[in-house]
Amino acid sequence: MRDPSLDLKVIHLVRDPRAVASSRIKSRHGLIRESLQVVRSRDPHIHRMPFLDAGHKLGGRKEGAGGSDYHALGAMEVICSSMAKTLQTALHPPDWLQGNYMAVRYEDLVVEPIKTLRQVYGFVNLAVSPDMEKFALNMTSGPGYSSKPFVVSARNASQALSAWRTALSYQQIKQVEEYCQQPMALLGYERVGSPEEVKDLSRTLLRKPRL
C-alpha cells in the first residue's frame, strides 16, 4: 500500500452477515471443516460470546443438521470480529489508506448493478464497457435463486437478497446480529425486532452505510 509504483487500491466486497450465515449453513457439508478452522482460529484470550440459545447445538442435531449449523454460526463471531477491525481502520484511515479503500455492498451491486459498477470502475479510473454492463444486468435478472451452493449463475436479485429471511430461524438471525452488531451498524444493515419484521419482505433492512 505504501509503494507508489503500485498505486494499489482496495475494493472490499461486503454482504449482510445474516446472508453470509445462511450461505454457510446451506453449504454446511462443504464448509464444515473450514468453519471449524475459523472457530479454532479465534484469539483464546478474548472472551467468547455465549450462544443466545444454550440448547442450539442439541436442537440442530434433532433436526438432522448435526453440529454443522452450530459451527457455521460460531464462525460468524470470528468473521465479524475481523470485519469490525477492518471497517474501523477504514473509518479512521491512516494516510496510506486514504482514498485507496472502497467498501461495496453486495446488496447495492445486485439492486443497482450499473450504478454500483460504474462507481467501482470510477474508483480505479477505468470506464465500464457496454458488455460488462450487460453482463451485470443479466447476472442480477435471472429467473430464480439457486438452492445449490458454489453455483455461479444469473439470479433474481430480490430473491437473492431476501433468501436468508426465510432460510434462517429467528433465533439464528438474532445470534448473528449479536455477533455482528458492529459491522452491521457501520455497513447499514438494520437489525430486526420481531419474527414478523423478518417475514415482511416489503420492508427493506438497508440504510445508508457510514463508510
Side-chain angles (χ1 to χ4, degrees):
M1 293 295 294
R2 295 178 183 274
D3 187 341
S5 67
L6 293 178
D7 191 23
L8 182 65
K9 294 180 182 291
V10 177
I11 299 172
H12 184 188
L13 180 64
V14 298
R15 191 177 185 183
D16 190 321
R18 295 163 295 194
V20 175
S22 180
S23 292
R24 295 185 74 87
I25 290 174
K26 185 169 67 174
S27 312
R28 57 171 65 92
H29 300 300
L31 290 177
I32 180 64
R33 290 185 179 180
E34 194 269 350
S35 291
L36 280 168
Q37 290 175 338
V38 171
V39 171
R40 290 169 179 166
S41 72
R42 62 179 299 276
D43 188 339
H45 301 293
I46 298 177
H47 175 69
R48 187 171 188 184
M49 293 183 186
F51 261 74
L52 298 178
D53 177 6
H56 175 80
K57 190 173 184 179
L58 179 61
R61 288 199 176 112
K62 287 180 179 178
E63 296 167 7
S68 55
D69 290 13
Y70 175 82
H71 294 306
L73 288 178
M76 293 305 300
E77 179 184 13
V78 183
I79 291 169
C80 283
S81 175
S82 176
M83 184 185 295
K85 292 177 182 177
T86 299
L87 295 175
Q88 282 296 333
T89 301
L91 196 62
H92 306 286
D95 292 343
W96 53 267
L97 191 61
Q98 288 184 14
N100 294 321
Y101 172 92
M102 179 184 191
V104 180
R105 294 193 303 191
Y106 168 84
E107 292 77 12
D108 296 328
L109 189 59
V110 298
V111 172
E112 298 183 298
I114 300 301
K115 177 182 176 182
T116 307
L117 201 61
R118 288 174 177 173
Q119 289 174 339
V120 170
Y121 271 63
F123 175 66
V124 293
N125 300 314
L126 294 174
V128 187
S129 69
D131 285 343
M132 182 57 73
E133 291 186 353
K134 182 179 179 180
F135 174 78
L137 282 175
N138 288 340
M139 289 299 286
T140 54
S141 304
Y145 179 65
S146 173
S147 60
K148 296 180 180 180
F150 308 118
V151 173
V152 178
S153 61
R155 55 185 58 189
N156 181 288
S158 60
Q159 289 186 32
L161 294 186
S162 60
W164 66 266
R165 298 173 75 166
T166 54
L168 296 180
S169 69
Y170 183 64
Q171 193 67 35
Q172 288 174 325
I173 291 170
K174 297 309 291 182
Q175 184 68 62
V176 176
E177 290 180 348
E178 185 73 13
Y179 284 156
C180 305
Q181 51 186 307
Q182 186 176 3
M184 286 179 64
L186 290 174
L187 294 171
Y189 297 119
E190 290 188 2
R191 301 175 70 175
V192 295
S194 68
E196 290 72 28
E197 284 186 19
V198 177
K199 304 304 180 186
D200 182 6
L201 301 184
S202 66
R203 177 185 173 184
T204 179
L205 296 173
L206 292 173
R207 54 178 173 76
K208 188 176 179 179
R210 292 174 58 187
L211 288 173

